Amino acid sequence: MTNLHRFDAAFAACPLVAILRGVRPDEIEAIGDALVEAGFTLIEVPLNSPDPFASIELLARRFGDRAVVGAGTVLTVEDVLRVEATGGTLIIAPNANPAVISAAAERGLVAMPGIATPTEAFAALAAGAAALKLFPAEAASPKVLKAMRAVLPKDVRMLPVGGITPEAMGPWREAGAAGFGLGSALYAPGMTAAEVGERARAFVAALPSVG
């Protein structure tokens, strides 16, 4: 099974990306366990976290086929290669750098760049993006997403990221959001694995009502 097929299956199971910005390697496995037990199948460790490549490697080893893991804030081609070396397969970024997207796609990794305009969205897809991160969602709206969905290919998965809470997902889903990236409403540095698990379950429970 290719990395893209694994991503497709994980996304179908739970279209929520856990963004663990600031997580440390010594706590990553317990937090990962809590997320997977809650139903999460997509986990991102941003590269501006402490020793992120160690955390990604630990997640990749621990969860194997149970979750798709990788990095966020991937800004360079060198970062793509380092993520691949750890066993990570998700390449997520706040921006749409064609070189980074292409490097990921050429290596069979799953690129999810950040976009804010239709121009960026089409350029990212042309470079090989597998999904698009609408970022920052606080600067957009469901109306903006709906307008973009009207012109983008129908099968493109768009995920609002930024300020998403369980209560906020409904209007975005109605506008065409395929899923979401979840940051501080799910995890913030200092949280226990139990706290993360409780928040994760709240997000998963909210999905059926906004599908």
Side-chain angles (χ1 to χ4, degrees), residues 87-111:
T89 57
L90 279 179
I91 304 295
I92 302 176
N95 61 334
N97 182 334
V100 169
I101 299 167
S102 297
E106 289 166 3
R107 305 186 77 81
L109 304 176
V110 178

PDB file of all heavy atoms in Angstrom, residues 87-111:
ATOM      1  N   GLY A  87      10.751   8.086   9.063  1.00  0.00           N
ATOM      2  CA  GLY A  87       9.589   7.233   8.855  1.00  0.00           C
ATOM      3  C   GLY A  87       8.299   8.003   8.744  1.00  0.00           C
ATOM      4  O   GLY A  87       7.235   7.417   8.575  1.00  0.00           O
ATOM      5  N   GLY A  88       8.378   9.340   8.831  1.00  0.00           N
ATOM      6  CA  GLY A  88       7.181  10.160   8.665  1.00  0.00           C
ATOM      7  C   GLY A  88       6.769  10.241   7.210  1.00  0.00           C
ATOM      8  O   GLY A  88       7.618  10.236   6.316  1.00  0.00           O
ATOM      9  N   THR A  89       5.470  10.336   6.957  1.00  0.00           N
ATOM     10  CA  THR A  89       4.989  10.397   5.573  1.00  0.00           C
ATOM     11  C   THR A  89       4.120  11.624   5.287  1.00  0.00           C
ATOM     12  O   THR A  89       3.835  11.922   4.135  1.00  0.00           O
ATOM     13  CB  THR A  89       4.179   9.133   5.216  1.00  0.00           C
ATOM     14  OG1 THR A  89       3.091   8.986   6.133  1.00  0.00           O
ATOM     15  CG2 THR A  89       5.057   7.894   5.282  1.00  0.00           C
ATOM     16  N   LEU A  90       3.693  12.344   6.328  1.00  0.00           N
ATOM     17  CA  LEU A  90       2.915  13.572   6.135  1.00  0.00           C
ATOM     18  C   LEU A  90       3.859  14.767   6.077  1.00  0.00           C
ATOM     19  O   LEU A  90       4.704  14.940   6.955  1.00  0.00           O
ATOM     20  CB  LEU A  90       1.946  13.782   7.297  1.00  0.00           C
ATOM     21  CG  LEU A  90       0.623  13.029   7.322  1.00  0.00           C
ATOM     22  CD1 LEU A  90      -0.141  13.394   8.599  1.00  0.00           C
ATOM     23  CD2 LEU A  90      -0.217  13.351   6.102  1.00  0.00           C
ATOM     24  N   ILE A  91       3.701  15.590   5.055  1.00  0.00           N
ATOM     25  CA  ILE A  91       4.499  16.801   4.904  1.00  0.00           C
ATOM     26  C   ILE A  91       3.529  17.981   4.866  1.00  0.00           C
ATOM     27  O   ILE A  91       2.902  18.259   3.839  1.00  0.00           O
ATOM     28  CB  ILE A  91       5.355  16.765   3.617  1.00  0.00           C
ATOM     29  CG1 ILE A  91       6.247  15.521   3.592  1.00  0.00           C
ATOM     30  CG2 ILE A  91       6.166  18.051   3.476  1.00  0.00           C
ATOM     31  CD1 ILE A  91       7.300  15.481   4.694  1.00  0.00           C
ATOM     32  N   ILE A  92       3.383  18.655   6.003  1.00  0.00           N
ATOM     33  CA  ILE A  92       2.402  19.722   6.149  1.00  0.00           C
ATOM     34  C   ILE A  92       3.130  21.049   6.347  1.00  0.00           C
ATOM     35  O   ILE A  92       4.158  21.108   7.026  1.00  0.00           O
ATOM     36  CB  ILE A  92       1.453  19.427   7.325  1.00  0.00           C
ATOM     37  CG1 ILE A  92       0.757  18.073   7.095  1.00  0.00           C
ATOM     38  CG2 ILE A  92       0.425  20.531   7.502  1.00  0.00           C
ATOM     39  CD1 ILE A  92      -0.135  17.617   8.226  1.00  0.00           C
ATOM     40  N   ALA A  93       2.614  22.096   5.738  1.00  0.00           N
ATOM     41  CA  ALA A  93       3.279  23.395   5.798  1.00  0.00           C
ATOM     42  C   ALA A  93       2.259  24.517   5.943  1.00  0.00           C
ATOM     43  O   ALA A  93       1.090  24.354   5.574  1.00  0.00           O
ATOM     44  CB  ALA A  93       4.118  23.618   4.538  1.00  0.00           C
ATOM     45  N   PRO A  94       2.711  25.671   6.456  1.00  0.00           N
ATOM     46  CA  PRO A  94       1.813  26.822   6.534  1.00  0.00           C
ATOM     47  C   PRO A  94       1.718  27.575   5.217  1.00  0.00           C
ATOM     48  O   PRO A  94       0.875  28.454   5.058  1.00  0.00           O
ATOM     49  CB  PRO A  94       2.469  27.693   7.610  1.00  0.00           C
ATOM     50  CG  PRO A  94       3.930  27.395   7.463  1.00  0.00           C
ATOM     51  CD  PRO A  94       4.003  25.935   7.095  1.00  0.00           C
ATOM     52  N   ASN A  95       2.611  27.234   4.289  1.00  0.00           N
ATOM     53  CA  ASN A  95       2.689  27.935   3.008  1.00  0.00           C
ATOM     54  C   ASN A  95       2.671  26.924   1.869  1.00  0.00           C
ATOM     55  O   ASN A  95       2.631  25.713   2.097  1.00  0.00           O
ATOM     56  CB  ASN A  95       3.952  28.790   2.945  1.00  0.00           C
ATOM     57  CG  ASN A  95       5.221  27.947   3.057  1.00  0.00           C
ATOM     58  OD1 ASN A  95       5.206  26.857   3.631  1.00  0.00           O
ATOM     59  ND2 ASN A  95       6.315  28.435   2.522  1.00  0.00           N
ATOM     60  N   ALA A  96       2.710  27.435   0.643  1.00  0.00           N
ATOM     61  CA  ALA A  96       2.664  26.570  -0.546  1.00  0.00           C
ATOM     62  C   ALA A  96       3.931  26.785  -1.363  1.00  0.00           C
ATOM     63  O   ALA A  96       3.935  27.502  -2.362  1.00  0.00           O
ATOM     64  CB  ALA A  96       1.421  26.869  -1.372  1.00  0.00           C
ATOM     65  N   ASN A  97       5.018  26.159  -0.919  1.00  0.00           N
ATOM     66  CA  ASN A  97       6.299  26.230  -1.617  1.00  0.00           C
ATOM     67  C   ASN A  97       6.343  25.099  -2.645  1.00  0.00           C
ATOM     68  O   ASN A  97       6.420  23.931  -2.271  1.00  0.00           O
ATOM     69  CB  ASN A  97       7.439  26.094  -0.613  1.00  0.00           C
ATOM     70  CG  ASN A  97       8.807  26.207  -1.252  1.00  0.00           C
ATOM     71  OD1 ASN A  97       8.975  25.923  -2.431  1.00  0.00           O
ATOM     72  ND2 ASN A  97       9.795  26.611  -0.468  1.00  0.00           N
ATOM     73  N   PRO A  98       6.307  25.412  -3.948  1.00  0.00           N
ATOM     74  CA  PRO A  98       6.273  24.348  -4.961  1.00  0.00           C
ATOM     75  C   PRO A  98       7.438  23.374  -4.853  1.00  0.00           C
ATOM     76  O   PRO A  98       7.269  22.177  -5.116  1.00  0.00           O
ATOM     77  CB  PRO A  98       6.309  25.118  -6.283  1.00  0.00           C
ATOM     78  CG  PRO A  98       5.741  26.461  -5.954  1.00  0.00           C
ATOM     79  CD  PRO A  98       6.214  26.752  -4.562  1.00  0.00           C
ATOM     80  N   ALA A  99       8.601  23.849  -4.448  1.00  0.00           N
ATOM     81  CA  ALA A  99       9.766  22.961  -4.333  1.00  0.00           C
ATOM     82  C   ALA A  99       9.554  21.925  -3.239  1.00  0.00           C
ATOM     83  O   ALA A  99       9.887  20.744  -3.402  1.00  0.00           O
ATOM     84  CB  ALA A  99      11.028  23.784  -4.050  1.00  0.00           C
ATOM     85  N   VAL A 100       8.987  22.356  -2.108  1.00  0.00           N
ATOM     86  CA  VAL A 100       8.724  21.440  -1.000  1.00  0.00           C
ATOM     87  C   VAL A 100       7.629  20.443  -1.380  1.00  0.00           C
ATOM     88  O   VAL A 100       7.749  19.234  -1.138  1.00  0.00           O
ATOM     89  CB  VAL A 100       8.331  22.230   0.266  1.00  0.00           C
ATOM     90  CG1 VAL A 100       7.799  21.294   1.355  1.00  0.00           C
ATOM     91  CG2 VAL A 100       9.521  23.021   0.783  1.00  0.00           C
ATOM     92  N   ILE A 101       6.569  20.952  -1.998  1.00  0.00           N
ATOM     93  CA  ILE A 101       5.460  20.076  -2.411  1.00  0.00           C
ATOM     94  C   ILE A 101       5.951  19.041  -3.412  1.00  0.00           C
ATOM     95  O   ILE A 101       5.663  17.843  -3.274  1.00  0.00           O
ATOM     96  CB  ILE A 101       4.323  20.909  -3.024  1.00  0.00           C
ATOM     97  CG1 ILE A 101       3.772  21.910  -2.009  1.00  0.00           C
ATOM     98  CG2 ILE A 101       3.205  19.994  -3.523  1.00  0.00           C
ATOM     99  CD1 ILE A 101       2.876  22.972  -2.609  1.00  0.00           C
ATOM    100  N   SER A 102       6.684  19.475  -4.405  1.00  0.00           N
ATOM    101  CA  SER A 102       7.184  18.564  -5.440  1.00  0.00           C
ATOM    102  C   SER A 102       8.126  17.531  -4.862  1.00  0.00           C
ATOM    103  O   SER A 102       8.076  16.345  -5.227  1.00  0.00           O
ATOM    104  CB  SER A 102       7.885  19.360  -6.544  1.00  0.00           C
ATOM    105  OG  SER A 102       7.000  20.228  -7.203  1.00  0.00           O
ATOM    106  N   ALA A 103       9.021  17.963  -3.965  1.00  0.00           N
ATOM    107  CA  ALA A 103       9.967  17.021  -3.351  1.00  0.00           C
ATOM    108  C   ALA A 103       9.223  15.935  -2.595  1.00  0.00           C
ATOM    109  O   ALA A 103       9.584  14.757  -2.658  1.00  0.00           O
ATOM    110  CB  ALA A 103      10.917  17.768  -2.427  1.00  0.00           C
ATOM    111  N   ALA A 104       8.176  16.323  -1.869  1.00  0.00           N
ATOM    112  CA  ALA A 104       7.391  15.336  -1.136  1.00  0.00           C
ATOM    113  C   ALA A 104       6.676  14.385  -2.094  1.00  0.00           C
ATOM    114  O   ALA A 104       6.738  13.153  -1.939  1.00  0.00           O
ATOM    115  CB  ALA A 104       6.382  16.039  -0.233  1.00  0.00           C
ATOM    116  N   ALA A 105       6.001  14.943  -3.094  1.00  0.00           N
ATOM    117  CA  ALA A 105       5.245  14.116  -4.031  1.00  0.00           C
ATOM    118  C   ALA A 105       6.144  13.157  -4.796  1.00  0.00           C
ATOM    119  O   ALA A 105       5.800  11.984  -5.005  1.00  0.00           O
ATOM    120  CB  ALA A 105       4.470  15.007  -5.002  1.00  0.00           C
ATOM    121  N   GLU A 106       7.312  13.636  -5.204  1.00  0.00           N
ATOM    122  CA  GLU A 106       8.234  12.794  -5.960  1.00  0.00           C
ATOM    123  C   GLU A 106       8.748  11.624  -5.134  1.00  0.00           C
ATOM    124  O   GLU A 106       9.116  10.575  -5.672  1.00  0.00           O
ATOM    125  CB  GLU A 106       9.412  13.638  -6.459  1.00  0.00           C
ATOM    126  CG  GLU A 106       9.034  14.609  -7.579  1.00  0.00           C
ATOM    127  CD  GLU A 106      10.099  15.660  -7.832  1.00  0.00           C
ATOM    128  OE1 GLU A 106      11.167  15.603  -7.169  1.00  0.00           O
ATOM    129  OE2 GLU A 106       9.864  16.539  -8.673  1.00  0.00           O
ATOM    130  N   ARG A 107       8.765  11.785  -3.816  1.00  0.00           N
ATOM    131  CA  ARG A 107       9.259  10.726  -2.940  1.00  0.00           C
ATOM    132  C   ARG A 107       8.122   9.867  -2.398  1.00  0.00           C
ATOM    133  O   ARG A 107       8.333   9.033  -1.515  1.00  0.00           O
ATOM    134  CB  ARG A 107      10.070  11.333  -1.793  1.00  0.00           C
ATOM    135  CG  ARG A 107      11.214  12.223  -2.279  1.00  0.00           C
ATOM    136  CD  ARG A 107      12.086  12.708  -1.148  1.00  0.00           C
ATOM    137  NE  ARG A 107      12.986  11.650  -0.699  1.00  0.00           N
ATOM    138  CZ  ARG A 107      14.123  11.325  -1.304  1.00  0.00           C
ATOM    139  NH1 ARG A 107      14.488  11.969  -2.413  1.00  0.00           N
ATOM    140  NH2 ARG A 107      14.893  10.366  -0.841  1.00  0.00           N
ATOM    141  N   GLY A 108       6.914  10.088  -2.910  1.00  0.00           N
ATOM    142  CA  GLY A 108       5.789   9.280  -2.481  1.00  0.00           C
ATOM    143  C   GLY A 108       5.243   9.661  -1.124  1.00  0.00           C
ATOM    144  O   GLY A 108       4.538   8.874  -0.485  1.00  0.00           O
ATOM    145  N   LEU A 109       5.553  10.875  -0.665  1.00  0.00           N
ATOM    146  CA  LEU A 109       5.040  11.363   0.607  1.00  0.00           C
ATOM    147  C   LEU A 109       3.766  12.170   0.358  1.00  0.00           C
ATOM    148  O   LEU A 109       3.442  12.508  -0.773  1.00  0.00           O
ATOM    149  CB  LEU A 109       6.100  12.218   1.307  1.00  0.00           C
ATOM    150  CG  LEU A 109       7.449  11.526   1.535  1.00  0.00           C
ATOM    151  CD1 LEU A 109       8.450  12.497   2.142  1.00  0.00           C
ATOM    152  CD2 LEU A 109       7.296  10.290   2.406  1.00  0.00           C
ATOM    153  N   VAL A 110       3.049  12.487   1.416  1.00  0.00           N
ATOM    154  CA  VAL A 110       1.756  13.148   1.310  1.00  0.00           C
ATOM    155  C   VAL A 110       1.926  14.626   1.650  1.00  0.00           C
ATOM    156  O   VAL A 110       2.164  14.980   2.812  1.00  0.00           O
ATOM    157  CB  VAL A 110       0.725  12.503   2.253  1.00  0.00           C
ATOM    158  CG1 VAL A 110      -0.607  13.227   2.168  1.00  0.00           C
ATOM    159  CG2 VAL A 110       0.563  11.020   1.907  1.00  0.00           C
ATOM    160  N   ALA A 111       1.815  15.487   0.658  1.00  0.00           N
ATOM    161  CA  ALA A 111       1.991  16.919   0.859  1.00  0.00           C
ATOM    162  C   ALA A 111       0.657  17.604   1.125  1.00  0.00           C
ATOM    163  O   ALA A 111      -0.284  17.450   0.348  1.00  0.00           O
ATOM    164  CB  ALA A 111       2.662  17.548  -0.361  1.00  0.00           C
TER     165      ALA A 111
END
